[in-house]
Amino acid sequence: MRTLPHPSAHPAPVPAPEAVRLAAALAAATDAYARRNPRSAEMAAAAARHLPGGSTRSSIWYAPFPLRMVRGEDCRLFDADGHEYVDFLGEFSAGIYGHSAAAVREAITGALAEGLSLSAHNRWEGRLASLICERFASIDLVRFTNSGTEANLLAIAAAQGATGRRRVLVFEGGYHGSVLSFLPGGAGIRVPHDFVIGRYNDVEGGRALIGQHAADLAAILVEPMQGSAGCIPGSVEFLASLRQGADAAGAALIFDEVQTSRLSSGGLQGRLGITADLTTLGKYFGGGLAFGCFGGRRSIMERFDPRRPDGLAHAGTFNNNTLTMAAGAAALSTLLTPGALEELNRRGDSLRAAMMTLFERLDAPLGVTGLGSLMNIHPNVPAAAMGDARKLLFFALLEAGIYTAARGFIALSLPITDVHTARLLGALERFVHDFGPAMRL
């Protein structure tokens, strides 16, 4: 398999004739997309009168305008212009149950009938907390938030409170929420913590940074597989070295498992046998509704106990909102079973292996990375052409009725079957035949 360009690689020059060929193919695909979707274009223009660029969520915006979806069913999406897609994005992994799974829908309608906002503790939050703690050996106690971003912010705060220190070690390519992004261009709205930024999967570099900052280090925050950077798995040696370094420095190791928690019933840390001090979760643990949580060692988390005179305050109107609590408890107890996760990740591993075989057989300028049910397709082109190549693939898959992230990210949902994955493989083979020559730079 070809070596993929590192996400932080410097753009290389693209030979002019090949660049022109790729640009022409993308222009034609973009024009065809715009002509197929006039209603989405109208809705995008109307939204732009009140939202910057017609968007309130950067990750799903793309030029010339993003699709407007009007309905979802199982693993299918339907847009405003009447097109149907197989949903291989799965709401960036939050949609693991598919669209409106019966158990989740029934839990939501039942909770709604009993009262939307009860201004108090309710009967579901303790149940959901117990289900989460049962799954993760590293989580003794847990607190709920409204997103993975909030969960990571609170985990950092918990580590700082426990250690009395301020500095946080993070890694290039990391994404821990919109204000905790270490992707290119992510510094613009990053919260002003005292960050030290290391290179992901650099064992010796990480050890050196931990040693250099040990006296001031409160936390090491890391994704065991970087998601937004392109599904780049952390090596066991690298992640184990962070565990050892955190112990030596007296810092808290925080695993951001907002996405990777689906890779086994105990998350990726359970699969790797590496235990974090704090773990952050989100997305599907709330049944697909807005949700986040952070949890970990009792000695850290009990500082949030309101019975303590020195307890840390952590408020939030919707932390225990009835709909999310009920939906999460129903989903975890009936749908996201260990067996269901094992089968989902088996299907993902099989799909990724089939993609690699396809790309090698066709000598395609494509590769794929990931683990289990999470993966990312990468054009094997110079970095300067990466954007155009990704867009061309995205528009070609849309025309084939396949919905992914514009950056090539795929997250399988439980309703996805081998029939759907075969359809994706067929669409990729057609893409290579139709556009492979335009991408051979």
Side-chain angles (χ1 to χ4, degrees), residues 308-340:
R308 292 175 51 148
D310 62 344
L312 298 175
H314 166 222
T317 300
F318 298 107
N319 287 352
N320 69 330
N321 76 86
T322 55
L323 298 190
T324 298
M325 299 296 101
L332 288 188
S333 59
T334 64
L335 298 176
L336 205 65
T337 63

Side-chain angles (χ1 to χ4, degrees), residues 78-256:
F78 302 85
D79 70 18
D81 290 282
H83 305 123
E84 178 181 331
Y85 305 88
V86 180
D87 182 6
F88 275 95
L89 178 53
E91 190 54 284
F92 290 87
S93 86
I96 195 170
Y97 309 110
H99 300 286
S100 301
V104 174
R105 185 173 61 247
E106 290 166 8
I108 291 172
T109 55
L112 186 60
E114 295 180 9
L116 181 60
S117 298
L118 301 181
S119 305
H121 293 285
N122 59 62
R123 65 188 179 94
W124 294 289
E125 60 198 277
R127 172 61 174 155
L128 180 56
S130 70
L131 289 168
I132 290 172
C133 290
E134 287 167 8
R135 286 176 179 249
F136 292 85
S138 61
I139 299 181
D140 297 323
L141 297 168
V142 67
R143 294 280 294 198
F144 296 145
T145 66
N146 295 279
S147 69
T149 302
E150 282 186 46
N152 282 309
L153 289 169
L154 266 296
I156 290 172
Q160 291 172 332
T163 62
R165 305 170 183 173
R166 306 299 299 172
R167 195 159 295 164
V168 182
L169 173 60
V170 293
F171 298 93
E172 294 174 1
Y175 182 83
H176 309 285
S178 58
V179 294
L180 286 169
S181 174
F182 301 91
L183 293 160
I189 59 170
R190 187 184 301 156
V191 290
H193 280 300
D194 182 3
F195 290 115
V196 176
I197 304 176
R199 285 185 60 85
Y200 194 69
N201 275 333
D202 181 354
V203 175
E204 293 306 318
R207 286 174 177 159
L209 286 174
I210 293 170
Q212 179 182 349
H213 298 280
D216 302 308
L217 198 61
I220 302 169
L221 174 61
V222 65
E223 297 166 275
M225 179 175 73
Q226 288 192 330
S228 294
C231 288
I232 309 299
S235 71
V236 175
E237 183 185 9
F238 172 66
L239 296 171
S241 74
L242 298 183
R243 174 68 278 169
Q244 295 159 5
D247 289 340
L253 177 61
I254 306 172
F255 269 10
D256 177 347

Side-chain angles (χ1 to χ4, degrees), residues 279-359:
T279 299
T280 57
L281 306 171
K283 300 183 184 288
Y284 34 86
F285 284 96
L289 279 69
F291 177 77
C293 72
F294 65 104
R297 286 195 287 113
R298 184 173 298 275
S299 60
I300 297 176
M301 293 301 300
E302 66 185 2
R303 297 174 65 85
F304 290 92
D305 188 336
R307 298 170 297 185
R308 292 175 51 148
D310 62 344
L312 298 175
H314 166 222
T317 300
F318 298 107
N319 287 352
N320 69 330
N321 76 86
T322 55
L323 298 190
T324 298
M325 299 296 101
L332 288 188
S333 59
T334 64
L335 298 176
L336 205 65
T337 63
L341 275 176
E342 183 178 351
E343 171 60 21
L344 182 67
N345 288 307
R346 181 208 63 77
R347 178 166 286 119
D349 287 334
S350 295
L351 172 60
R352 197 170 55 259
M355 284 186 192
M356 293 169 64
T357 298
L358 174 69
F359 298 155

